[in-house]
Amino acid sequence: MACSFRRSIASQLSRVLDLPPENLIKSISAVPVSKKEEKEEADFQLSVDSLLENKRDHLRPDIQDQAKRLAEKLKCDTVVSEISTGQGTVNFKINRELLTKTVLQQVIEDGSKYGLKSELFSDLPQKKIVVEFSSPNIAKKFHVGHLRSTIIGNFIANLKEALGHQVTRINYLGDWGMQFGLLGTGFQLFGYEEKLQSNPLQHLFEVYVQVNKEAADDKNIAKSAHEFFQRLELGDVQALSLWQKFRDLSIEEYIRIYKRLGVHFDEYSGESFYREKSQEVLKLLDSKGLLQKTVKGTAVVDLSGKGDPSSICTVMRSDGTSLYATRDLAAAIDRMDKYNFDTMIYVTDKGQKQHFQHVFQMLKTMGYDWVERCQHVPFGVVQGMKTRRGDVTFLEDVLNEIQLRMLQNMASIKTTKELENPQETAERVGLAALIIQDFRGLLLSDYQFSWDRVFQSRGDTGVFLQYTHARLHSLEETFGYSYLNDFNPACLQEPQSISILQHLLRFDEVLYRSSQDLQPRHIVSYLITLSHLAAVAHKTLQVKHSPPEVAGARLLLFRAARCVLANGMKLLGITPVSRM
């Protein structure tokens, strides 16, 4: 695979440059296929610039000159068949038959681990990682921000798990706070037990909307809501049992809906877990002299020490009850005790950036040095996601809309196959479309949502990736698997074959980039290019009517492309379909 070629090139370079091969591995990169002209080019390049990083500008020799001088000292061997120079690079072309044989064997042998066994990850220590994502509020809208947090957090957890880390996925529910005072009162006034049992999320939301409306006009309702929440905080058995029922039924419903998304959690935590522990946090802040009482009776922490308003964080209400920030401090301390994590990642929208800055700063001030291991992955806002019923209120609305639109699309396409379960296929293809649309840009960017763009079958969409996967799968179904035992690399020397092989060579680098910055767009763009290359090859490299030896080799190439496509899709949280 790429790593054995990189190592071979690095060994030769290390002798000439008198540097350990390990220092050179990451400077040798596979040349992206998309940047190539029609003529076939090198497979790997060494950036001479990266070797000179430590030299000051006035000491740096001319890069082009350096590249030429270095190339002259290197020799071709059984692995490298050609050495040339580019703009500040030394380029290496791998022996074509060796390239073909090595890449295809590696893809088939490694299966779902292809690209993850690379040299690039060899010095990666296995870590305990906690990822907190999704985190909807019970009785409130499951808005588009929660949907983004769910698919981004799932991707990060998938990637970390694939790299061999021990990952704990936490859903930190908004299951405490004043809304439960309103909800408890509202349910006693307008709630129906049978509606709660049959559709808890919908019914609790309706009750919450209605009680909010009434409380605005009727001070008695607002007062009894406040009293209900105080009863909860004091541990009143009746109030707590109603709250527990709301929570349990909501989680049951969430689990069912997350299953449709292909997402699971190891722990359903929530703010309620930390209502007592947050009191301990307040005592600790006080004992360190960090707590300040305001005129209104609330308690704040001044992180600047100079009264800067943007650095003041409120941690207690005037009635002594805790706030979101206090509960987040308690949760972080508790998770460190419970999981002893090496990294904890919070996936929320960028509006919470300051909140996490404050939380991390308070933990540091409290003496918790492990706060350096905590990381906030922020994402941008999606505008304009509406379903036919109007604004998105529930995740299920989005899933139903996806399924409906995709079924209509599939019905209008002549090539659609007879499917055993068209609803399931429509949902999987539709989810791929949604995820690819979301992951194409920087996570921090805002974007305007468009259903029409999501479901285009032509163009760089999730529908195109699923279509390519299904098409390659049907080749295997049609012609069988007998070609796996032995194949002749000489039968795969056309430019279309070489382009796919060169692209497969790069998969480990793309995974490495995504593992460094936690951005899925590198993988998305890689898979889109792979699908385009496979589509071109599918047209030009016929399997039917070709001699058996040629047909077998081509089928192996298409199988390798499909395997890597499926691996990448699964990391993104997409279930590949085999027919559509």
Side-chain angles (χ1 to χ4, degrees):
M1 200 206 130
C3 60
S4 64
F5 295 138
R6 266 194 217 102
R7 177 153 282 284
S8 177
I9 294 167
S11 313
Q12 197 186 156
L13 283 166
S14 86
R15 291 193 290 276
V16 171
L17 295 167
D18 199 20
L19 287 168
E22 282 67 33
N23 296 15
L24 297 163
I25 294 278
K26 285 179 187 169
S27 302
I28 301 164
S29 58
V31 180
V33 174
S34 51
K35 288 185 186 165
K36 296 187 176 169
E37 301 150 30
E38 276 309 294
K39 65 182 175 60
E40 206 189 296
E41 289 191 15
D43 305 301
F44 288 95
Q45 60 185 29
L46 168 81
S47 158
V48 176
D49 211 24
S50 66
L51 299 178
L52 303 171
E53 268 174 5
N54 303 330
K55 298 200 177 181
R56 294 214 178 95
D57 278 349
H58 65 278
L59 294 174
R60 293 170 80 141
D62 175 65
I63 298 282
Q64 207 53 38
D65 189 44
Q66 279 285 98
K68 280 195 174 123
R69 291 223 301 263
L70 178 55
E72 280 160 13
K73 293 178 189 169
L74 300 166
K75 291 184 176 68
C76 293
D77 53 22
T78 52
V79 175
V80 176
S81 63
E82 206 176 288
I83 298 168
S84 59
T85 57
Q87 284 299 108
T89 61
V90 179
N91 304 329
F92 303 88
K93 187 172 176 178
I94 303 296
N95 171 313
R96 284 294 166 248
E97 291 198 11
L98 182 66
L99 173 84
T100 308
K101 194 169 182 177
T102 310
V103 172
L104 294 185
Q105 278 180 347
Q106 201 77 53
V107 174
I108 303 303
E109 271 170 35
D110 289 353
S112 62
K113 291 268 175 267
Y114 178 72
L116 296 162
K117 293 180 171 183
S118 163
E119 289 270 320
L120 300 177
F121 300 113
S122 60
D123 54 356
L124 194 74
Q126 298 214 333
K127 292 182 175 179
K128 290 182 193 148
I129 295 174
V130 170
V131 188
E132 183 205 287
F133 63 105
S134 194
S135 310
N137 298 302
I138 290 175
K140 293 186 180 177
K141 287 184 178 186
F142 188 109
H143 57 70
V144 186
H146 294 125
L147 176 60
R148 281 206 91 184
S149 171
T150 307
I151 59 178
I152 293 165
N154 187 50
F155 158 70
I156 291 171
N158 288 346
L159 183 61
K160 295 287 186 188
E161 228 160 47
L163 290 169
H165 300 300
Q166 188 184 324
V167 177
T168 304
R169 301 159 186 252
I170 295 181
N171 197 341
Y172 183 66
L173 299 172
D175 63 355
W176 201 251
M178 199 52 220
Q179 83 228 46
F180 283 93
L182 282 160
L183 204 55
T185 300
F187 192 75
Q188 287 162 346
L189 292 169
F190 323 113
Y192 293 97
E193 187 61 34
E194 58 276 19
K195 280 190 181 178
L196 179 67
Q197 295 293 339
S198 66
N199 195 342
L201 300 181
Q202 175 89 35
H203 188 51
L204 289 175
F205 177 70
E206 285 163 358
V207 167
Y208 185 64
V209 168
Q210 195 172 351
V211 74
N212 263 302
K213 220 180 268 174
E214 302 285 334
D217 303 327
D218 186 341
K219 288 208 170 111
N220 286 331
I221 289 183
K223 187 170 173 248
S224 67
H226 196 79
E227 283 164 4
F228 189 92
F229 183 55
Q230 280 196 313
R231 279 166 59 203
L232 272 178
E233 286 260 295
L234 293 167
D236 175 86
V237 177
Q238 251 182 322
L240 274 175
S241 100
L242 186 61
W243 166 84
Q244 189 70 49
K245 191 198 291 185
F246 294 162
R247 188 181 194 277
D248 291 348
L249 288 169
S250 295
I251 288 176
E252 251 175 63
E253 189 75 349
Y254 280 136
I255 289 171
R256 183 183 68 75
I257 297 163
Y258 285 129
K259 198 173 174 186
R260 282 179 70 180
L261 254 183
V263 171
H264 72 277
F265 292 91
D266 301 300
E267 184 185 304
Y268 279 85
S269 168
E271 295 182 62
S272 61
F273 284 50
Y274 302 107
R275 60 183 190 273
E276 284 161 23
K277 287 187 173 154
S278 55
Q279 295 304 318
E280 292 166 29
V281 167
L282 291 171
K283 281 179 196 157
L284 189 58
L285 285 167
D286 200 20
S287 71
K288 290 190 178 279
L290 297 166
L291 216 55
Q292 298 174 14
K293 281 276 172 71
T294 66
V295 185
K296 293 176 185 169
T298 60
V300 299
V301 174
D302 176 7
L303 292 162
S304 66
K306 299 172 189 152
D308 173 5
S310 68
S311 297
I312 288 176
C313 188
T314 307
V315 289
M316 187 183 81
R317 288 194 184 88
S318 54
D319 63 1
T321 56
S322 62
L323 281 129
Y324 184 57
T326 336
R327 296 192 280 269
D328 258 351
L329 291 170
I333 295 164
D334 179 59
R335 287 173 195 168
M336 190 63 200
D337 289 343
K338 189 171 174 184
Y339 296 111
N340 190 25
F341 57 77
D342 297 295
T343 308
M344 177 155 65
I345 298 166
Y346 297 87
V347 185
T348 73
D349 68 78
K350 62 184 177 185
Q352 294 199 42
K353 194 175 172 192
Q354 191 184 50
H355 164 77
F356 282 106
Q357 282 171 348
H358 284 171
V359 167
F360 296 164
Q361 223 175 321
M362 277 192 278
L363 286 166
K364 195 171 177 61
T365 314
M366 288 161 83
Y368 294 114
D369 290 339
W370 49 257
V371 71
E372 305 293 339
R373 306 177 199 178
C374 297
Q375 180 185 359
H376 177 218
V377 174
F379 54 80
V381 179
V382 182
Q383 282 119 358
M385 188 194 271
K386 285 181 162 49
T387 66
R388 283 156 214 223
R389 288 171 52 180
D391 282 333
V392 172
T393 307
F394 304 109
L395 174 57
E396 192 146 33
D397 292 342
V398 179
L399 296 178
N400 293 341
E401 184 84 6
I402 281 172
Q403 194 184 74
L404 186 69
R405 284 177 183 260
M406 202 60 225
L407 277 169
Q408 287 172 344
N409 275 20
M410 282 158 58
S412 66
I413 297 169
K414 292 188 182 79
T415 54
T416 301
K417 302 262 196 315
E418 278 296 313
L419 301 168
E420 275 172 38
N421 189 339
Q423 278 83 5
E424 186 182 81
T425 302
E427 188 155 297
R428 284 179 177 171
V429 175
L431 270 173
L434 187 77
I435 289 170
I436 295 299
Q437 152 112 337
D438 197 277
F439 285 178
R440 284 189 61 185
L442 272 169
L443 293 180
L444 207 48
S445 305
D446 301 339
Y447 73 88
Q448 192 66 35
F449 184 84
S450 148
W451 285 111
D452 293 338
R453 200 166 60 241
V454 165
F455 287 120
Q456 279 172 351
S457 54
R458 296 181 191 283
D460 300 343
T461 63
V463 180
F464 174 52
L465 295 190
Q466 288 283 33
Y467 176 68
T468 305
H469 184 272
R471 212 170 165 198
L472 295 175
H473 192 273
S474 88
L475 267 182
E476 292 173 38
E477 275 188 327
T478 309
F479 296 101
Y481 299 94
S482 56
Y483 51 86
L484 282 180
N485 307 327
D486 198 20
F487 76 100
N488 181 357
C491 296
L492 290 175
Q493 299 308 307
E494 307 86 351
Q496 297 86 346
S497 303
I498 298 295
S499 290
I500 290 178
L501 293 163
Q502 288 175 317
H503 196 58
L504 296 178
L505 209 50
R506 277 189 68 228
F507 191 49
D508 61 346
E509 288 179 22
V510 172
L511 295 178
Y512 182 74
R513 279 188 75 183
S514 279
S515 74
Q516 294 296 295
D517 63 8
L518 301 183
Q519 296 285 334
R521 67 196 174 107
H522 311 303
I523 297 174
V524 169
S525 129
Y526 176 89
L527 297 180
I528 286 169
T529 301
L530 178 58
S531 296
H532 281 295
L533 294 172
V536 170
H538 188 272
K539 268 189 202 144
T540 51
L541 306 176
Q542 296 295 318
V543 174
K544 205 174 180 181
H545 308 311
S546 292
E549 194 180 34
V550 174
R554 287 176 179 177
L555 281 167
L556 187 59
L557 178 74
F558 288 129
R559 179 179 169 82
R562 185 189 65 74
C563 286
V564 175
L565 179 58
N567 291 353
M569 287 164 84
K570 286 173 191 166
L571 283 177
L572 297 173
I574 295 168
T575 305
V577 300
S578 45
R579 298 171 80 85
M580 68 177 271

PDB file of all heavy atoms in Angstrom, residues 10 28 92 96 119 141 174 177 216 230 247 298 308 377 386 426 451 468 503 562:
ATOM      1  N   ALA A  10      11.358   6.748   1.333  1.00  0.00           N
ATOM      2  CA  ALA A  10      11.992   7.393   2.496  1.00  0.00           C
ATOM      3  C   ALA A  10      13.346   6.755   2.808  1.00  0.00           C
ATOM      4  O   ALA A  10      14.288   7.444   3.202  1.00  0.00           O
ATOM      5  CB  ALA A  10      11.068   7.301   3.706  1.00  0.00           C
ATOM      6  N   ILE A  28       6.350  12.925   2.247  1.00  0.00           N
ATOM      7  CA  ILE A  28       6.129  12.257   0.953  1.00  0.00           C
ATOM      8  C   ILE A  28       4.630  12.040   0.789  1.00  0.00           C
ATOM      9  O   ILE A  28       4.017  11.317   1.576  1.00  0.00           O
ATOM     10  CB  ILE A  28       6.865  10.893   0.922  1.00  0.00           C
ATOM     11  CG1 ILE A  28       8.359  11.096   1.135  1.00  0.00           C
ATOM     12  CG2 ILE A  28       6.599  10.163  -0.394  1.00  0.00           C
ATOM     13  CD1 ILE A  28       9.115   9.831   1.506  1.00  0.00           C
ATOM     14  N   PHE A  92       8.080  10.869  -7.855  1.00  0.00           N
ATOM     15  CA  PHE A  92       8.432   9.447  -7.979  1.00  0.00           C
ATOM     16  C   PHE A  92       7.289   8.695  -8.654  1.00  0.00           C
ATOM     17  O   PHE A  92       6.140   8.800  -8.232  1.00  0.00           O
ATOM     18  CB  PHE A  92       8.666   8.838  -6.591  1.00  0.00           C
ATOM     19  CG  PHE A  92       9.731   9.535  -5.798  1.00  0.00           C
ATOM     20  CD1 PHE A  92       9.411  10.631  -5.003  1.00  0.00           C
ATOM     21  CD2 PHE A  92      11.055   9.119  -5.854  1.00  0.00           C
ATOM     22  CE1 PHE A  92      10.390  11.297  -4.265  1.00  0.00           C
ATOM     23  CE2 PHE A  92      12.044   9.773  -5.121  1.00  0.00           C
ATOM     24  CZ  PHE A  92      11.715  10.872  -4.328  1.00  0.00           C
ATOM     25  N   ARG A  96       4.632   0.213 -12.535  1.00  0.00           N
ATOM     26  CA  ARG A  96       3.185   0.100 -12.770  1.00  0.00           C
ATOM     27  C   ARG A  96       2.574  -1.226 -12.316  1.00  0.00           C
ATOM     28  O   ARG A  96       1.516  -1.257 -11.694  1.00  0.00           O
ATOM     29  CB  ARG A  96       2.878   0.335 -14.261  1.00  0.00           C
ATOM     30  CG  ARG A  96       2.952   1.822 -14.612  1.00  0.00           C
ATOM     31  CD  ARG A  96       1.831   2.551 -13.881  1.00  0.00           C
ATOM     32  NE  ARG A  96       1.950   3.991 -13.860  1.00  0.00           N
ATOM     33  CZ  ARG A  96       2.194   4.704 -12.768  1.00  0.00           C
ATOM     34  NH1 ARG A  96       2.455   4.118 -11.636  1.00  0.00           N
ATOM     35  NH2 ARG A  96       2.184   6.016 -12.796  1.00  0.00           N
ATOM     36  N   GLU A 119       1.413   3.889   7.800  1.00  0.00           N
ATOM     37  CA  GLU A 119       2.552   4.479   8.520  1.00  0.00           C
ATOM     38  C   GLU A 119       2.152   5.792   9.186  1.00  0.00           C
ATOM     39  O   GLU A 119       2.698   6.171  10.212  1.00  0.00           O
ATOM     40  CB  GLU A 119       3.628   4.871   7.477  1.00  0.00           C
ATOM     41  CG  GLU A 119       4.347   3.740   6.841  1.00  0.00           C
ATOM     42  CD  GLU A 119       5.574   3.386   7.635  1.00  0.00           C
ATOM     43  OE1 GLU A 119       6.262   4.292   8.111  1.00  0.00           O
ATOM     44  OE2 GLU A 119       5.843   2.186   7.776  1.00  0.00           O
ATOM     45  N   LYS A 141     -38.138  22.040  20.627  1.00  0.00           N
ATOM     46  CA  LYS A 141     -37.892  21.603  19.240  1.00  0.00           C
ATOM     47  C   LYS A 141     -36.556  20.879  19.129  1.00  0.00           C
ATOM     48  O   LYS A 141     -35.581  21.279  19.758  1.00  0.00           O
ATOM     49  CB  LYS A 141     -37.833  22.812  18.308  1.00  0.00           C
ATOM     50  CG  LYS A 141     -39.160  23.458  18.035  1.00  0.00           C
ATOM     51  CD  LYS A 141     -38.970  24.592  17.022  1.00  0.00           C
ATOM     52  CE  LYS A 141     -40.311  25.234  16.692  1.00  0.00           C
ATOM     53  NZ  LYS A 141     -40.185  26.218  15.620  1.00  0.00           N
ATOM     54  N   GLY A 174     -31.099  18.106  27.591  1.00  0.00           N
ATOM     55  CA  GLY A 174     -31.640  19.227  28.360  1.00  0.00           C
ATOM     56  C   GLY A 174     -32.856  18.695  29.097  1.00  0.00           C
ATOM     57  O   GLY A 174     -33.974  18.768  28.600  1.00  0.00           O
ATOM     58  N   GLY A 177     -34.322  22.153  34.598  1.00  0.00           N
ATOM     59  CA  GLY A 177     -34.434  23.601  34.427  1.00  0.00           C
ATOM     60  C   GLY A 177     -35.884  24.047  34.475  1.00  0.00           C
ATOM     61  O   GLY A 177     -36.810  23.237  34.595  1.00  0.00           O
ATOM     62  N   ALA A 216     -48.074  33.497  30.024  1.00  0.00           N
ATOM     63  CA  ALA A 216     -47.835  34.898  29.660  1.00  0.00           C
ATOM     64  C   ALA A 216     -49.005  35.785  30.117  1.00  0.00           C
ATOM     65  O   ALA A 216     -48.818  36.957  30.462  1.00  0.00           O
ATOM     66  CB  ALA A 216     -47.649  35.009  28.142  1.00  0.00           C
ATOM     67  N   GLN A 230     -39.346  24.210  41.963  1.00  0.00           N
ATOM     68  CA  GLN A 230     -38.701  24.189  43.287  1.00  0.00           C
ATOM     69  C   GLN A 230     -38.935  22.833  43.971  1.00  0.00           C
ATOM     70  O   GLN A 230     -38.036  22.304  44.623  1.00  0.00           O
ATOM     71  CB  GLN A 230     -39.222  25.338  44.146  1.00  0.00           C
ATOM     72  CG  GLN A 230     -38.508  26.648  43.772  1.00  0.00           C
ATOM     73  CD  GLN A 230     -38.687  27.732  44.813  1.00  0.00           C
ATOM     74  OE1 GLN A 230     -39.805  27.980  45.274  1.00  0.00           O
ATOM     75  NE2 GLN A 230     -37.609  28.388  45.184  1.00  0.00           N
ATOM     76  N   ARG A 247     -38.997  11.924  31.030  1.00  0.00           N
ATOM     77  CA  ARG A 247     -37.627  11.661  30.571  1.00  0.00           C
ATOM     78  C   ARG A 247     -37.516  10.271  29.938  1.00  0.00           C
ATOM     79  O   ARG A 247     -36.995  10.119  28.826  1.00  0.00           O
ATOM     80  CB  ARG A 247     -36.661  11.780  31.753  1.00  0.00           C
ATOM     81  CG  ARG A 247     -35.191  11.712  31.346  1.00  0.00           C
ATOM     82  CD  ARG A 247     -34.252  11.819  32.544  1.00  0.00           C
ATOM     83  NE  ARG A 247     -32.891  12.094  32.088  1.00  0.00           N
ATOM     84  CZ  ARG A 247     -32.040  11.185  31.674  1.00  0.00           C
ATOM     85  NH1 ARG A 247     -32.402   9.917  31.633  1.00  0.00           N
ATOM     86  NH2 ARG A 247     -30.821  11.521  31.260  1.00  0.00           N
ATOM     87  N   THR A 298     -27.653  37.090  42.603  1.00  0.00           N
ATOM     88  CA  THR A 298     -27.061  35.972  41.842  1.00  0.00           C
ATOM     89  C   THR A 298     -25.581  35.854  42.204  1.00  0.00           C
ATOM     90  O   THR A 298     -25.008  36.770  42.813  1.00  0.00           O
ATOM     91  CB  THR A 298     -27.183  36.205  40.314  1.00  0.00           C
ATOM     92  OG1 THR A 298     -26.490  37.417  39.998  1.00  0.00           O
ATOM     93  CG2 THR A 298     -28.629  36.308  39.872  1.00  0.00           C
ATOM     94  N   ASP A 308     -14.525  42.944  33.576  1.00  0.00           N
ATOM     95  CA  ASP A 308     -14.864  42.990  32.139  1.00  0.00           C
ATOM     96  C   ASP A 308     -16.168  42.213  31.921  1.00  0.00           C
ATOM     97  O   ASP A 308     -16.221  41.009  32.180  1.00  0.00           O
ATOM     98  CB  ASP A 308     -13.703  42.364  31.350  1.00  0.00           C
ATOM     99  CG  ASP A 308     -14.013  42.204  29.860  1.00  0.00           C
ATOM    100  OD1 ASP A 308     -15.097  42.662  29.442  1.00  0.00           O
ATOM    101  OD2 ASP A 308     -13.184  41.620  29.138  1.00  0.00           O
ATOM    102  N   VAL A 377     -15.851  21.594  19.349  1.00  0.00           N
ATOM    103  CA  VAL A 377     -15.897  21.603  17.873  1.00  0.00           C
ATOM    104  C   VAL A 377     -17.172  22.346  17.474  1.00  0.00           C
ATOM    105  O   VAL A 377     -18.275  21.805  17.566  1.00  0.00           O
ATOM    106  CB  VAL A 377     -15.899  20.164  17.298  1.00  0.00           C
ATOM    107  CG1 VAL A 377     -16.094  20.193  15.786  1.00  0.00           C
ATOM    108  CG2 VAL A 377     -14.604  19.442  17.646  1.00  0.00           C
ATOM    109  N   LYS A 386     -36.919  23.564   5.820  1.00  0.00           N
ATOM    110  CA  LYS A 386     -38.337  23.444   6.161  1.00  0.00           C
ATOM    111  C   LYS A 386     -38.855  22.133   5.572  1.00  0.00           C
ATOM    112  O   LYS A 386     -38.371  21.681   4.545  1.00  0.00           O
ATOM    113  CB  LYS A 386     -39.144  24.592   5.549  1.00  0.00           C
ATOM    114  CG  LYS A 386     -38.968  25.945   6.268  1.00  0.00           C
ATOM    115  CD  LYS A 386     -39.826  26.992   5.589  1.00  0.00           C
ATOM    116  CE  LYS A 386     -40.084  28.217   6.439  1.00  0.00           C
ATOM    117  NZ  LYS A 386     -38.957  28.833   7.066  1.00  0.00           N
ATOM    118  N   ALA A 426     -34.869   4.316   0.135  1.00  0.00           N
ATOM    119  CA  ALA A 426     -35.098   5.758  -0.047  1.00  0.00           C
ATOM    120  C   ALA A 426     -34.533   6.534   1.138  1.00  0.00           C
ATOM    121  O   ALA A 426     -33.894   7.580   0.966  1.00  0.00           O
ATOM    122  CB  ALA A 426     -36.594   6.033  -0.191  1.00  0.00           C
ATOM    123  N   TRP A 451     -33.582  21.616  -0.564  1.00  0.00           N
ATOM    124  CA  TRP A 451     -33.965  20.227  -0.838  1.00  0.00           C
ATOM    125  C   TRP A 451     -33.630  19.842  -2.272  1.00  0.00           C
ATOM    126  O   TRP A 451     -33.183  18.733  -2.545  1.00  0.00           O
ATOM    127  CB  TRP A 451     -35.471  20.022  -0.607  1.00  0.00           C
ATOM    128  CG  TRP A 451     -35.880  19.963   0.835  1.00  0.00           C
ATOM    129  CD1 TRP A 451     -36.610  20.888   1.511  1.00  0.00           C
ATOM    130  CD2 TRP A 451     -35.573  18.927   1.785  1.00  0.00           C
ATOM    131  NE1 TRP A 451     -36.784  20.492   2.831  1.00  0.00           N
ATOM    132  CE2 TRP A 451     -36.166  19.282   3.018  1.00  0.00           C
ATOM    133  CE3 TRP A 451     -34.871  17.725   1.719  1.00  0.00           C
ATOM    134  CZ2 TRP A 451     -36.076  18.499   4.157  1.00  0.00           C
ATOM    135  CZ3 TRP A 451     -34.781  16.943   2.867  1.00  0.00           C
ATOM    136  CH2 TRP A 451     -35.365  17.324   4.065  1.00  0.00           C
ATOM    137  N   THR A 468     -23.345   5.175  -7.434  1.00  0.00           N
ATOM    138  CA  THR A 468     -22.075   4.553  -7.848  1.00  0.00           C
ATOM    139  C   THR A 468     -21.854   3.245  -7.089  1.00  0.00           C
ATOM    140  O   THR A 468     -21.476   2.228  -7.672  1.00  0.00           O
ATOM    141  CB  THR A 468     -20.887   5.519  -7.578  1.00  0.00           C
ATOM    142  OG1 THR A 468     -21.160   6.761  -8.226  1.00  0.00           O
ATOM    143  CG2 THR A 468     -19.578   4.950  -8.082  1.00  0.00           C
ATOM    144  N   HIS A 503      -5.625   7.005  -6.994  1.00  0.00           N
ATOM    145  CA  HIS A 503      -6.543   7.630  -6.043  1.00  0.00           C
ATOM    146  C   HIS A 503      -6.683   6.757  -4.787  1.00  0.00           C
ATOM    147  O   HIS A 503      -6.696   7.271  -3.668  1.00  0.00           O
ATOM    148  CB  HIS A 503      -7.909   7.848  -6.710  1.00  0.00           C
ATOM    149  CG  HIS A 503      -8.785   8.799  -5.964  1.00  0.00           C
ATOM    150  ND1 HIS A 503      -8.415  10.094  -5.685  1.00  0.00           N
ATOM    151  CD2 HIS A 503     -10.020   8.646  -5.411  1.00  0.00           C
ATOM    152  CE1 HIS A 503      -9.383  10.698  -5.003  1.00  0.00           C
ATOM    153  NE2 HIS A 503     -10.372   9.833  -4.826  1.00  0.00           N
ATOM    154  N   ARG A 562     -15.230  -0.045  -4.941  1.00  0.00           N
ATOM    155  CA  ARG A 562     -16.474  -0.099  -4.166  1.00  0.00           C
ATOM    156  C   ARG A 562     -16.186  -0.260  -2.664  1.00  0.00           C
ATOM    157  O   ARG A 562     -16.840   0.369  -1.832  1.00  0.00           O
ATOM    158  CB  ARG A 562     -17.364  -1.264  -4.637  1.00  0.00           C
ATOM    159  CG  ARG A 562     -18.721  -1.271  -3.934  1.00  0.00           C
ATOM    160  CD  ARG A 562     -19.521  -2.519  -4.214  1.00  0.00           C
ATOM    161  NE  ARG A 562     -18.928  -3.743  -3.701  1.00  0.00           N
ATOM    162  CZ  ARG A 562     -18.915  -4.090  -2.404  1.00  0.00           C
ATOM    163  NH1 ARG A 562     -19.451  -3.301  -1.498  1.00  0.00           N
ATOM    164  NH2 ARG A 562     -18.364  -5.225  -2.033  1.00  0.00           N
TER     165      ARG A 562
END
